Amino acid sequence: MSATRIEGVSLANQIRAEIARDVKALREQGKVVRLACVEVGERPESVLYMKSQRRLCNALGIDFTVIALPDTISELALLRRIHELNADPDVTAMILELPLPARINTFACQRAIDPNKDAEGVHPVNLGLLVYGIAHHAPCTAMAAYQLIKSTGIDLRGKECTVVGHSQIVGKPISLMLLHDFCTVTTCHVATRDLAEHTRAADILVVAVGKPGLIKASMVKRGALVVDVGVNRVPVLDADGRPVLNEKGNPAHKTVGDVDFEEVKELAQWITPVPGGVGPLTVTMLLRNVAEAARHFHPAIA
Ligand code: NAP
């Protein structure tokens, strides 16, 4: 039997309606709800991400401001700008677009953001709160994966969970969230000796690596819930394995996750598709953090 797809879009729409309602309540009291997006230089990755942030902010009634800074800016000048935004009452949340130029210490800049204005949930204070089970401004992708798991309604207590990938923004925080719900969590990484042994034991498998085809059906337990966080662009091939060309005559590409979806869907009970699973929910979680930040700024609104 084929797995049930856990669709990120429908859950995202539901949560977006809640955010829009909260933002409207703040606005009706004349309060500011503004996300400032700090961009250093212009990078194609950021341009796309910022476009979707702006579109969604517009749809939810959130003001969106881009602070475009030159590629040549010094670390000190960038830190000063972040501190100014921290102190600015017209900015209720902030996001620092990555990657920054290599000469700038990214962690130092993320740490400089006021934790209460941290839209992405990457400040060490917000990451540290997860140890206490407080997802105040949780990292958006980890929270998106967690919400998708919760949306199935399964009882997490006592479940064997394997998380593949131990990054600060996905693998580690999702491991903590699941641990807080009394799952037995195994977190795998590059030094894991036998990855398949751990993935096969999982009732819930979360994969956040960035390697297409890493997880095959032989590595998944029958009836598992599989969340594929990975986003990879791969060439489209025809039946003979030759690259398919697009209308411009260039090799066509498609987006896939880390899990071999076609194989794994035949034995999993639930699976998130890529695209359409974690992705749509990630930017929604960002804007939920923005609404939370604005509420913190204006605590009179329940
Ligand atoms: P990352 O910082 O590069 O982390 C990848 C992790 O995978 C690292 O912890 C790495 O370990 C581990 N790893 C590498 N090879 C492995 C292997 N063979 N077996 C087990 N673990 C392995 O990436 P990330 O930011 O966490 O993102 C992970 C994936 O999610 C990427 O594809 C990214 O594009 C995607 N993503 C999606 C969204 C979304 O909204 N859908 C958002 C963010 C990220 P080491 O550090 O020890 O090498």
Side-chain angles (χ1 to χ4, degrees):
M1 205 186 74
S2 198
T4 303
R5 289 163 63 104
I6 315 174
E7 301 290 352
V9 177
S10 48
L11 185 57
N13 286 339
Q14 202 181 308
I15 297 171
R16 286 173 196 181
E18 291 165 16
I19 299 169
R21 193 200 55 211
D22 290 352
V23 171
K24 189 163 174 270
L26 288 158
R27 289 240 175 257
E28 279 169 1
Q29 299 190 20
K31 309 293 188 188
V32 177
V33 186
R34 182 186 304 278
L35 173 64
C37 181
V38 180
E39 186 195 22
V40 177
E42 200 180 274
R43 289 182 171 67
E45 314 88 295
S46 317
V47 171
L48 266 180
Y49 191 36
M50 278 162 49
K51 226 170 142 183
S52 82
Q53 287 163 13
R54 182 188 292 280
R55 202 176 38 237
L56 201 50
C57 279
N58 288 342
L60 302 184
I62 297 170
D63 293 331
F64 183 79
T65 304
V66 175
I67 314 285
L69 301 172
D71 203 35
T72 51
I73 193 168
S74 69
E75 185 175 318
L76 189 61
L78 176 56
L79 287 169
R80 275 206 199 105
R81 194 70 187 95
I82 292 170
H83 286 300
E84 280 167 16
L85 292 168
N86 285 342
D88 185 345
D90 277 333
V91 169
T92 50
M94 195 190 320
I95 177 169
L96 182 61
E97 293 294 336
L98 300 184
L100 295 174
R103 71 202 145 68
I104 295 183
N105 182 335
T106 300
F107 185 50
C109 296
Q110 287 175 325
R111 232 171 23 184
I113 297 172
D114 177 344
N116 290 314
K117 291 193 178 187
D118 172 26
E120 288 194 295
V122 293
H123 191 283
V125 165
N126 291 322
L127 290 174
L129 284 173
L130 291 177
V131 172
Y132 297 88
I134 302 168
H136 173 51
H137 285 219
C140 309
T141 310
M143 188 44 111
Y146 177 74
Q147 292 289 341
L148 288 168
I149 294 169
K150 293 287 275 185
S151 74
T152 64
I154 71 160
D155 182 10
L156 295 181
R157 194 178 177 88
K159 291 287 186 299
E160 293 291 333
C161 297
T162 298
V163 176
V164 187
H166 67 151
S167 69
Q168 280 84 347
I169 59 158
V170 193
K172 282 181 188 139
I174 182 77
S175 297
L176 284 170
M177 289 173 193
L178 294 169
L179 180 61
H180 187 68
D181 279 346
F182 288 96
C183 293
T184 302
V185 182
T186 303
T187 308
C188 300
H189 40 71
V190 279
T192 299
R193 276 184 295 202
D194 187 347
L195 181 63
E197 183 194 353
H198 297 291
T199 57
R200 268 198 299 266
D203 302 310
I204 298 172
L205 176 60
V206 180
V207 189
V209 172
K211 290 199 173 147
L214 178 69
I215 304 296
K216 305 280 182 203
S218 61
M219 299 167 75
V220 176
K221 182 180 186 173
R222 183 166 292 279
L225 189 166
V226 180
V227 176
D228 190 354
V229 181
V231 176
N232 308 289
R233 294 288 290 163
V234 296
V236 180
L237 304 176
D238 67 14
D240 300 319
R242 284 188 303 251
V244 171
L245 300 183
N246 62 22
E247 60 284 356
K248 288 183 182 156
N250 299 322
H253 284 76
K254 62 177 178 178
T255 301
V256 298
D258 293 340
V259 175
D260 190 325
F261 185 84
E262 291 307 316
E263 274 189 13
V264 172
K265 78 174 181 359
E266 295 308 321
L267 80 162
Q269 189 175 351
W270 288 282
I271 189 165
T272 62
V274 179
V278 176
L281 213 51
T282 296
V283 65
T284 305
M285 290 298 122
L286 175 85
L287 297 184
R288 197 169 76 165
N289 282 345
V290 172
E292 271 300 306
R295 205 204 316 273
H296 177 91
F297 230 73
H298 315 296
I301 297 173

